[in-house]
Amino acid sequence: AEYNGKLSIIDFKTSKAIKDENDIVEYFMQATAYAIMFQERTGISIKNIVIIMSCEDGSVKVYEKNPLDYVVYLKDAIDSYYRENINELSVSN
């Protein structure tokens, strides 16, 4: 969808309390993965990811980021997953 006039990946999250953006890097990585997958399927580049966090007390926090800032973190997480699970992945194939 569009957010502030920019084509964006928008993800809604719920939480007991507002979280600091350093505590939700995984959310940014997830949205970055969605942006990459969208581009692979459509050829359209997404340059904005938005996390909208709604809390039990009614407060809302919006985090807006560039997915390019999280590609390295996402790649590191994927590489780490494969390193940790290589034996199990080899057996199942």
Side-chain angles (χ1 to χ4, degrees):
E2 283 193 13
Y3 186 85
N4 287 337
K6 296 183 252 180
L7 188 58
S8 304
I9 296 295
I10 302 171
D11 197 357
F12 295 89
K13 302 290 188 183
T14 58
S15 180
K16 290 182 180 182
I18 296 294
K19 296 178 182 176
D20 183 71
E21 67 181 63
N22 293 327
D23 296 326
I24 61 168
V25 172
E26 293 84 6
Y27 297 169
F28 301 132
M29 289 174 13
Q30 179 185 19
T32 296
Y34 293 154
I36 291 168
M37 290 183 272
F38 184 84
Q39 183 173 357
E40 287 177 350
R41 299 286 289 159
T42 67
I44 300 168
S45 178
I46 303 283
K47 298 196 177 5
N48 198 44
I49 53 177
V50 180
I51 306 298
I52 301 173
M53 185 176 295
S54 173
C55 297
E56 291 177 356
D57 67 1
S59 59
V60 175
K61 175 75 175 174
V62 177
Y63 304 88
E64 192 172 356
K65 301 290 182 182
N66 182 333
L68 293 177
D69 294 338
Y70 294 91
V71 170
V72 171
Y73 296 107
L74 178 60
K75 183 179 181 322
D76 288 346
I78 292 168
D79 290 346
S80 176
Y81 172 83
Y82 279 107
R83 275 192 309 276
E84 293 170 10
N85 295 285
I86 193 71
N87 291 333
E88 293 167 20
L89 293 172
S90 298
V91 170
S92 63
N93 289 329

